[in-house]
Amino acid sequence: TAKTYGACASFSISLVANSSIDSPTMSVLSLAVVGKNNEPVFLKEFPKTEGRYVDDFAEEELFGLSFAIRSNEPCSVKHQFILQAALDRFEQVAGPPPGVGWRTPDVSGVDAMWVGMLLPVEEMRVYGYMSTTKIKFLAVVEDVIPPDQTAQNRKKESEIKNLLAQIHRLYVEYTLNPFNQIGDHKIVSKVFDVGVTNSVTEYNGKR
Amino acid sequence: MSKSTAATNGMALWQKMPKANAELFALTYGTLVTELLRDYETIAEINEQLDKMGYSIGVRCVDEFLAKADQANMLIAKCNNLAETAEVVAKTGFRMFLGIAVEIHATSESSFSLMMYENPLALFVELPDTQDKNWKDLKYSNLYCGILRGALEQVNLRVECKFVRDTLQGDDVNEIRVELKEVLQEGAGDDYQEE
């Protein structure tokens, strides 16, 4: 009985420890859509207002990085830096030869367009997704799963893949509007904006 | 012609018509409108052009409508008043060509309103928000007004149609107001005026 008690005790301890990681806050912090000539077509940040440490705030205020360049721009400078860095990595992985091929053979559809994690930055990770027409979708996601939790990591990646596929669908609907310019124009569309915000809020809300 | 007959006729004719891809249809119309935007200066001119195009479509549509109905052994009875005409147009005509349900509201001796809840021409369309043109005045689906005008003129009714509510402009339903101006006696066009 002592042994079983001991086992139960350790089991319950590990349960307690896991429950805090069980529902980690892996919210999407920003999203970018980049055209085939690497011009930014859509940038949006989804700042988290709760759960931030006081230290984080102070450091960002110091360099003014948390502010958007202009008050009407939807994405802060810090995230734009991160996205630019991720884009370089994207080029490496998915660009013309000698680009390292990322595509696993014999996959099609959403799986074929999923590039995967591009780079880790501070406590965030950037994931990428590229359509067949070389339109790139990037998501900066908060990273709180330790790397040894492979099952959770894989689950998270597939959820992000689905989110980016959803954004891709919204982008396709945007291009179907005859009034919208495709190419190197920024996306100015309420329907697209609302759709993206809803998708991300739904994803974040599930955490 | 009773209400249900018009509707059933409409459904039956719709089944027999060859179908086209809705997205292709909407995209084609969309490029047409954007081309017009490039060609003409003001929004009013574009609305007028769409009406003219609709007119030439309507003139041909009505013959097809009556011919197909004959082939299907349906009796499209002579309409005795404007309300019956409205029934046939909304329930049979629109259903046959576009597959959509259209309702009639606000009928009077000389006018009626057609309410369309879905608009196949405006699939995926969102009007831009820029300041350079007066987008609020653009009647994107003005083609319908021209079609109605052309079709009804072939059956001796001169009407004026206009869009009063448009889902693209933010309203919850599309409403076309049709007003009867004149019942043409001879049914002859302008070419025959001298005779």
Side-chain angles (χ1 to χ4, degrees):
Chain A
T1 46
K3 262 200 217 159
T4 47
Y5 263 70
C8 284
S10 57
F11 182 59
S12 59
I13 289 171
S14 59
L15 262 184
V16 164
N18 272 338
S19 61
S20 59
I21 308 175
D22 213 27
S23 49
T25 46
M26 317 177 300
S27 36
V28 170
L29 293 175
S30 69
L31 212 100
V33 180
V34 177
K36 57 182 190 240
N37 294 323
N38 288 346
E39 69 281 6
V41 161
F42 181 78
L43 288 166
K44 188 147 179 147
E45 189 178 347
F46 306 96
K48 275 180 43 143
T49 40
E50 327 104 21
R52 298 186 67 175
Y53 299 120
V54 181
D55 298 337
D56 277 1
F57 262 127
E59 187 186 323
E60 284 178 6
E61 300 297 303
L62 191 59
F63 293 102
L65 287 175
S66 61
F67 297 115
I69 300 175
R70 283 176 284 276
S71 56
N72 59 352
E73 242 180 73
C75 191
S76 70
V77 181
K78 172 174 167 187
H79 279 271
Q80 292 201 33
F81 284 161
I82 298 172
L83 289 163
Q84 290 284 359
L87 212 57
D88 286 339
R89 174 70 186 146
F90 220 135
E91 271 294 287
Q92 268 190 335
V93 168
V100 172
W102 86 94
R103 213 171 258 180
T104 47
D106 294 333
V107 294
S108 63
V110 172
D111 286 326
M113 300 195 243
W114 169 247
V115 177
M117 184 169 90
L118 292 170
L119 72 121
V121 161
E122 296 175 18
E123 337 77 42
M124 301 173 273
R125 289 187 188 179
V126 188
Y127 287 91
Y129 174 109
M130 183 161 88
S131 80
T132 329
T133 48
K134 304 245 185 291
I135 308 288
K136 306 172 192 58
F137 299 84
L138 298 110
V140 178
V141 182
E142 216 179 355
D143 172 27
V144 278
I145 305 178
D148 54 338
Q149 300 256 17
T150 41
Q152 284 201 344
N153 266 324
R154 248 181 276 128
K155 176 167 165 257
K156 165 182 171 176
E157 288 204 356
S158 76
E159 282 174 4
I160 298 188
K161 179 165 62 169
N162 288 336
L163 175 70
L164 287 175
Q166 167 75 351
I167 309 287
H168 184 190
R169 274 192 288 276
L170 288 167
Y171 176 75
V172 168
E173 279 174 27
Y174 167 81
T175 53
L176 287 172
N177 185 354
F179 293 110
N180 287 334
Q181 311 265 27
I182 320 169
D184 47 355
H185 280 84
K186 283 204 178 277
I187 295 185
V188 180
S189 156
K190 278 199 210 86
V191 172
F192 183 74
D193 206 41
V194 166
V196 167
T197 316
N198 285 345
S199 300
V200 172
T201 328
E202 199 188 314
Y203 173 85
N204 287 348
K206 279 197 226 139
R207 305 289 114 237
Chain B
M1 176 165 263
S2 74
K3 286 190 182 350
S4 54
T5 327
T8 23
N9 280 349
M11 297 284 238
L13 285 168
W14 168 245
Q15 301 298 333
K16 294 189 199 307
M17 295 289 277
K19 311 285 190 297
N21 184 315
E23 285 186 14
L24 186 60
F25 181 57
L27 284 175
T28 309
Y29 187 68
T31 46
L32 179 77
V33 175
T34 38
E35 270 306 305
L36 284 177
L37 275 168
R38 277 190 269 274
D39 291 344
Y40 292 93
E41 298 281 324
T42 64
I43 300 282
E45 280 175 345
I46 297 167
N47 289 342
E48 198 189 309
Q49 274 304 105
L50 286 172
D51 190 76
K52 278 202 205 140
M53 287 186 220
Y55 181 82
S56 56
I57 295 177
V59 159
R60 290 158 178 79
C61 264
V62 69
D63 281 324
E64 169 153 10
F65 171 64
L66 293 169
K68 282 263 159 37
D70 264 349
Q71 277 176 5
N73 290 327
M74 278 176 214
L75 182 61
I76 309 277
K78 183 166 137 85
C79 298
N80 295 317
N81 54 36
L82 192 68
E84 287 180 13
T85 315
E87 266 312 310
V88 174
V89 163
K91 301 287 190 247
T92 320
F94 269 96
R95 174 66 78 174
M96 170 181 161
F97 285 106
L98 291 171
I100 56 176
V102 173
E103 285 179 8
I104 308 178
H105 284 224
T107 38
S108 75
E109 279 297 315
S110 61
S111 64
F112 59 93
S113 272
L114 291 170
M115 316 288 261
M116 290 195 293
Y117 293 97
E118 44 168 328
N119 185 357
L121 287 175
L123 206 55
F124 303 125
V125 176
E126 197 188 332
L127 289 180
D129 222 351
T130 58
Q131 298 302 321
D132 58 334
K133 284 199 196 309
N134 207 355
W135 296 107
K136 293 229 169 297
D137 290 338
L138 177 68
K139 307 224 183 296
Y140 186 84
S141 314
N142 216 26
L143 202 78
Y144 292 137
C145 296
I147 295 177
L148 286 167
R149 189 166 66 87
L152 290 171
E153 193 167 302
Q154 294 306 100
V155 289
N156 299 341
L157 298 170
R158 188 166 68 83
V159 296
E160 255 179 34
C161 306
K162 53 179 200 280
F163 252 92
V164 290
R165 278 195 283 174
D166 193 349
T167 44
L168 289 174
Q169 298 285 2
D171 302 311
D172 49 353
V173 73
N174 298 303
E175 183 182 341
I176 302 180
R177 187 101 197 119
V178 181
E179 286 177 5
L180 178 65
K181 292 294 167 200
E182 195 188 333
V183 178
L184 303 163
Q185 287 309 314
E186 294 301 326
D190 292 343
D191 304 329
Y192 298 81
Q193 288 292 347
E194 298 95 300
E195 297 184 298

